[in-house]
Structure formats: C-alpha cells, structure tokens
Amino acid sequence: MAIFLDLSKAFDTISHNILLNKLEILCSRGIANTSFKSYLSGRRQYMEIYKVKSHLEENEIGVPQGSILGPILILFYINDIQNSTSVKVLWFADDTTCSYSSSYTKHLYDAMNQELEKINLWFRANKLCLNISKTKYIIFHPSGSHQAANDQSLYVDNRTNWQSY
C-alpha cells in the first residue's frame, strides 16, 4: 500500500522558529544559521479585498514559493518525519508518500492506521495540517492475484473519506 499525503498550504505554514531549530540541529550553525534567519525574517505581507489593503505585517511563518530555497527548506523541515513512524517515507518538498506491505489485507489496514496516527501527531507537533480530502492511497497486488472484497478503511482523526486509486 502506498499513501500519497497532501499537506494543506505547506509552504505557507512552515514555522520559522521550528525550521531554524531543525537547521541548527542538522547542519546550520553560526553564520549559516544567521544567514537563514536573515533570509526568513523581515518578510512582510498584506491582504487586499475589494481594493482595500490591510496593514503590512511581518510574517513569521512560511517559506517563499517559487524560490530555489523554498523546497529545500521544506525538506529540512520534514526530514525527521521518518523518526515518527516505522513505514517507509519518501518526500520531495511538500509531497509525501508512505508505503507498507503485508500479505494480509486486514493487517495492512490495521498497521497503516496506527502509523497514520503517529504521522498525523508529527504533523501537528510541527504545525502542519494533513488535507485528508486530497490524500489518496493505492494497494498493489501481485500480478494474477485476486483479493477478496474488503470492508477496511483508513482513518485519521476518525475521518475516513479517503479515496483509493
């Protein structure tokens, strides 16, 4: 089974404090960390509705989209997600895929539900939000095998409106 996790506005919700702490732990100390802090700080934004603009406010979350550093900073941010689960996790920027295999369908769903709960706790601790309505999964079967009808579901926060491919 592979689950393709969708994060709600990942680029826009990255906590600068959490990111800078993770960068310091992983690789960036001293001048390098100061440079990242300078890159992220001082960014201001406003909102405009019907040609009425709000005040400029400094933004302490998010990484610039469309930049070279944006996807790289997100990779540093989610690098430790693999410590929260025993399933295989693959990611590029904000696209995250979890995979697990079992010969028994019931065991597959039970195990993935447990691991999804752990992953979702990691997302919450890191101020990210899983978009369940856009999260999809697929079950791979050996060629020529036939699986019995399945009444199993995947759950996160007691929600099960997931669709499989």
Side-chain angles (χ1 to χ4, degrees), residues 114-136:
Q114 290 175 3
E115 296 305 314
L116 282 167
E117 187 59 36
K118 293 175 190 176
I119 291 168
N120 196 42
L121 287 172
W122 184 92
F123 284 145
R124 285 184 183 166
N126 287 275
K127 300 184 179 181
L128 296 171
C129 182
L130 181 61
N131 184 345
I132 294 175
S133 66
K134 290 185 177 180
T135 294
K136 308 290 185 211

Side-chain angles (χ1 to χ4, degrees), residues 100-111:
Y100 182 76
S101 64
S102 175
S103 300
Y104 303 99
T105 305
K106 180 172 177 9
H107 178 259
L108 183 67
Y109 277 90
D110 290 345

Side-chain angles (χ1 to χ4, degrees), residues 3-165:
I3 301 176
F4 308 98
L5 303 171
D6 185 82
L7 297 174
S8 296
K9 301 192 178 277
F11 280 85
D12 298 332
T13 58
I14 297 293
S15 163
H16 292 176
N17 289 335
I18 293 173
L19 175 59
L20 291 169
N21 286 335
K22 289 182 181 207
L23 283 168
E24 186 171 353
I25 290 167
L26 289 170
C27 63
S28 171
R29 293 173 186 83
I31 294 172
N33 201 314
T34 303
S35 297
F36 279 118
K37 187 173 185 177
S38 174
Y39 176 75
L40 294 170
S41 65
R43 296 187 176 275
R44 298 168 61 175
Q45 67 183 28
Y46 68 92
M47 190 168 64
E48 181 176 343
I49 299 174
Y50 300 115
K51 298 186 181 186
V52 177
K53 296 178 183 178
S54 68
H55 297 287
L56 275 173
E57 296 286 335
E58 189 163 334
N59 190 358
E60 296 179 2
I61 60 170
V63 294
Q65 292 186 43
S67 68
I68 293 172
L69 279 180
I72 294 168
L73 291 174
I74 286 185
L75 288 175
F76 278 114
Y77 196 85
I78 65 170
N79 181 58
D80 61 342
I81 192 173
Q82 64 195 6
N83 298 334
S84 70
T85 181
S86 61
V87 298
K88 185 173 184 173
V89 180
L90 303 170
W91 62 91
F92 177 75
D94 61 336
D95 295 322
T96 306
T97 302
C98 301
S99 63
Y100 182 76
S101 64
S102 175
S103 300
Y104 303 99
T105 305
K106 180 172 177 9
H107 178 259
L108 183 67
Y109 277 90
D110 290 345
M112 283 306 285
N113 278 321
Q114 290 175 3
E115 296 305 314
L116 282 167
E117 187 59 36
K118 293 175 190 176
I119 291 168
N120 196 42
L121 287 172
W122 184 92
F123 284 145
R124 285 184 183 166
N126 287 275
K127 300 184 179 181
L128 296 171
C129 182
L130 181 61
N131 184 345
I132 294 175
S133 66
K134 290 185 177 180
T135 294
K136 308 290 185 211
Y137 72 96
I138 188 169
I139 298 178
F140 299 97
H141 304 284
S143 178
S145 74
H146 300 292
Q147 291 287 324
N150 184 359
D151 64 349
Q152 299 289 311
S153 296
L154 293 176
Y155 296 91
V156 172
D157 290 336
N158 294 319
R159 292 182 287 171
T160 182
N161 60 341
W162 294 34
Q163 295 180 354
S164 65
Y165 285 114

